[in-house]
Amino acid sequence: MEHSNGPVIDMTPDGAFVTPPRPGILAYLLRLALFGVALATVAALFWTIILVLPLLILVMVVGFFVFRPRIMQFGPRRF
């Protein structure tokens, strides 16, 4: 079983902290592309919901008024 003595701090022998290397331009472009894909996906889902939800509500209301007389024709059922 290993025992951890805390986090490892990278320091030079004179006591200065080691700065991590900066990511290259390719890493920045990849992050930007992934952010764009995520943003486009969220926007597509949002607009799909905004456009489809009113249509679904309209279909439910029309269905209710179309099938209501047929359901009421047989009378209320008691179970």
Side-chain angles (χ1 to χ4, degrees):
M1 178 187 227
E2 290 185 33
H3 294 284
S4 176
N5 293 331
V8 175
I9 300 175
D10 290 333
M11 295 181 83
T12 60
D14 63 347
F17 290 104
V18 176
T19 58
R22 294 186 58 177
I25 188 74
L26 188 62
Y28 283 122
L29 291 176
L30 182 62
R31 287 179 190 169
L32 186 63
L34 288 175
F35 179 73
V37 167
L39 190 64
T41 302
V42 169
L45 287 173
F46 176 74
W47 284 111
T48 300
I49 289 171
I50 292 297
L51 294 175
V52 171
L53 193 60
L55 182 65
L56 289 177
I57 292 172
L58 180 67
V59 167
M60 287 189 301
V61 169
V62 168
F64 174 76
F65 285 112
V66 167
F67 290 112
R68 183 176 164 206
R70 293 183 185 182
I71 293 171
M72 297 308 271
Q73 172 183 351
F74 298 108
R77 296 186 179 177
R78 301 200 185 265
F79 295 103

